Amino acid sequence: MSSLFDAELTQVIDRNIEYPKQIWYGLAIFLFVVGCFQWGSSLHSKFAKYQQQESDEESTSNNHIHYKFSLRRIPFAFINIYRVVAFRWTLEIGQTYTLNIAEIFVTLGYIALLYTYTFINTTSLDGQKADILYWSSRAARVAASQIPLVAALGTKNNIVSLVTGISYDKLNYIHRMMARTCFTLLCVHGASEASSYPYFRLSLNDQWLRSGMTAIAALFALIIVSLRPIRQEAYEVFFYTHFISVLIFLVGAYHHTAEYNASFWIWPSIVIWGLDRFIRMVRLVVFNHSYFGFKSGSGTMDGTTELLSENLVRLRLSRPPHFHWSPGQTAYLIMPSVSTLPFEAHPFTIASFDSSLIQTTVPEDQSNS
C-alpha cells in the first residue's frame, strides 16, 4: 500500500511540474503566431503603400489608370474578412460592456486551456476518477504559473506588446480576464484543500497557509475593485487598491509557494513590475528633460485646459520636438500641479496630427526651373 501511494505521489508531483510548462509552450506558440501575422501585416501595409505611391506617380504621368485582377490579392481579401469578423463583430453585455469576437475567442480558449490541464489525467492508480489528490494542488500550480504573464500584461512596457504589436490598452482586457481565471483556480484549490484534507485546520496557525489565504483575499479585493462600474465611478479607489492588493498578493503568494518549492513562478512578477516602473521613470525623464532641468526651455511644458462638456476636457500644450505619435494614439499625461500624487498619470486621446510626419516634396520640373 505504501509503495502504491509513493508511486502515485510521484506521478502527481511530476504532472504538477510538467503541465504548467506545457501551458506556457502553448501560449508561447500562440503569441508567436499572432506576432507573425501582426508584423507581417504591418510590413505588407508599408510595402503596399510604397507600391501605391509609385503606381500613382505612373498613373499621373500617363493620365490613365489600369484596373487589374490579381490572384495574389485573394489571401488579403480573406484576411480583411477575418479582421472584420474578429474585431468589428461585437457582443454587448448590458449597456456599457462590449466584447468583440476575438476577445470572446481568446477568453474561452484560455479558460478551456487552464481547466483542461487542471482536470486532465486525474484518475488514480487504483482507478478512482477525478481523484482530488491529482487536481487540488495542480489547480494552484497552474494558476501560479500564469502570474508572471498576468503581471506582464498589466504593465505599459511589456514583451507581449513588443512581440505581437498589440498596444497596452488593448491587452488590458486580457490582463483582467487572465487574473480572474487564475482566481477561480485558486478558489478551487483552496476550497478542495479546506474541505478534504484533515491537516488543513491543524495548519491554520502556520505562516505558509496564512500567507496563501491572505493572497487569495487580496486578489479577491482586487477583482472586485477592477469591475468596470467601480473603475469608472471611483477610479482613484481602484488605483490605490490595485497597487496595495497586488503588493499583498505577490508577497503572500511568494511565501505560500515557497513551502512547496514553487516560488519561482512568483518572484519574476516582482521583477517585471519593478522593471516596468524603471523604464517608465526613464521615459518620463527623457520625454520631459526640460522639466527636470536637463535642458533650457522654461514654459515649454505649460498647458491650458478647457472644459468642453461634463465628460470632455481639452488640453492644449506645445509638442516637444522629440515627441511623435500616430493618429488616434493615447498619451498618459502627468500634471504635478493638479494631481494628488506627483507622478499620477491619466490617459488623453491625441486629437491633432503630427505635423512633423508631413514631407513636402518639390516637383522635379519646378526644382530645375
Side-chain angles (χ1 to χ4, degrees):
M1 184 68 178
S2 177
S3 60
L4 178 63
F5 178 78
D6 291 340
E8 197 160 44
L9 187 60
T10 301
Q11 183 171 263
V12 169
I13 295 175
D14 291 342
R15 291 176 179 176
N16 286 352
I17 296 175
E18 184 63 25
Y19 284 177
K21 295 180 181 179
Q22 294 182 11
I23 294 175
W24 266 96
Y25 295 151
L27 293 176
I29 293 174
F30 175 75
L31 292 176
F32 176 77
V33 172
V34 172
C36 288
F37 276 102
Q38 196 77 10
W39 286 104
S41 176
S42 177
L43 293 175
H44 173 265
S45 298
K46 293 182 179 180
F47 181 72
K49 184 178 180 180
Y50 175 76
Q51 284 188 326
Q52 183 65 32
Q53 290 177 350
E54 291 185 343
S55 176
D56 291 343
E57 292 177 359
E58 293 178 358
S59 300
T60 303
S61 61
N62 296 330
N63 293 324
H64 63 275
I65 301 176
H66 296 282
Y67 294 96
K68 295 182 179 180
F69 174 78
S70 176
L71 293 176
R72 292 182 300 176
R73 297 183 180 181
I74 295 179
F76 300 110
F78 282 106
I79 292 176
N80 289 332
I81 294 175
Y82 156 75
R83 289 175 175 173
V84 171
V85 173
F87 300 107
R88 296 187 182 180
W89 288 13
T90 59
L91 174 65
E92 295 185 0
I93 304 175
Q95 297 180 349
T96 60
Y97 209 83
T98 303
L99 295 177
N100 58 44
I101 300 300
E103 291 172 337
I104 295 174
F105 172 78
V106 171
T107 299
L108 296 179
Y110 183 76
I111 294 174
L113 178 67
L114 263 59
Y115 272 87
T116 297
Y117 270 98
T118 298
F119 291 101
I120 196 174
N121 294 332
T122 54
T123 302
S124 64
L125 296 179
D126 57 0
Q128 181 181 351
K129 295 184 178 181
D131 191 344
I132 193 173
L133 178 65
Y134 283 79
W135 56 262
S136 177
S137 58
R138 191 193 303 173
R141 287 267 185 167
V142 169
S145 69
Q146 299 302 295
I147 300 303
L149 184 56
V150 174
L153 290 173
T155 59
K156 293 182 175 63
N157 307 281
N158 64 79
I159 191 173
V160 179
S161 293
L162 180 63
V163 172
T164 62
I166 303 175
S167 61
Y168 152 78
D169 53 340
K170 294 181 180 179
L171 289 175
N172 199 256
Y173 164 77
I174 308 298
H175 162 73
R176 297 193 302 270
M177 179 273 296
M178 293 179 63
R180 292 164 185 172
T181 304
C182 292
F183 174 74
T184 61
L185 285 175
L186 293 177
C187 289
V188 170
H189 166 69
S192 60
E193 293 282 333
S195 61
S196 301
Y197 290 111
Y199 69 81
F200 183 84
R201 294 181 179 273
L202 300 177
S203 304
L204 285 176
N205 293 327
D206 294 343
Q207 182 181 0
W208 65 271
L209 182 56
R210 289 190 172 186
S211 298
M213 296 172 64
T214 303
I216 293 179
L219 185 57
F220 175 72
L222 178 57
I223 289 176
I224 294 299
V225 299
S226 67
L227 296 176
R228 178 170 295 185
I230 298 179
R231 294 202 322 269
Q232 290 180 340
E233 298 298 330
Y235 182 81
E236 300 293 336
V237 174
F238 160 74
F239 179 82
Y240 296 119
T241 305
H242 182 279
F243 180 85
I244 297 173
S245 298
V246 167
L247 181 62
I248 296 175
F249 170 77
L250 290 178
V251 173
Y254 177 83
H255 284 287
H256 181 76
T257 54
E259 182 72 14
Y260 298 96
N261 298 321
S263 58
F264 59 88
W265 289 119
I266 305 300
W267 65 259
S269 304
I270 303 175
V271 175
I272 291 171
W273 182 86
L275 181 61
D276 173 69
R277 294 291 168 175
F278 174 75
I279 295 176
R280 290 171 65 177
M281 183 61 65
V282 171
R283 293 178 63 182
L284 179 66
V285 175
V286 170
F287 280 115
N288 305 277
H289 48 266
S290 61
Y291 176 82
F292 290 96
F294 292 102
K295 185 179 180 181
S296 61
S298 177
T300 57
M301 304 305 296
D302 294 339
T304 59
T305 59
E306 181 181 358
L307 184 62
L308 300 180
S309 67
E310 184 179 354
N311 299 316
L312 183 61
V313 176
R314 178 163 60 188
L315 176 64
R316 296 176 181 268
L317 69 159
S318 300
R319 176 184 67 84
H322 53 274
F323 181 73
H324 304 282
W325 66 92
S326 301
Q329 188 172 344
T330 298
Y332 282 83
L333 302 182
I334 298 175
M335 292 170 278
S337 60
V338 178
S339 303
T340 304
L341 296 178
F343 296 108
E344 180 180 324
H346 292 274
F348 283 81
T349 301
I350 303 176
S352 59
F353 180 74
D354 189 355
S355 58
S356 64
L357 299 179
I358 300 178
Q359 297 180 356
T360 57
T361 58
V362 181
E364 185 176 355
D365 56 347
Q366 294 182 10
S367 62
N368 295 330
S369 59

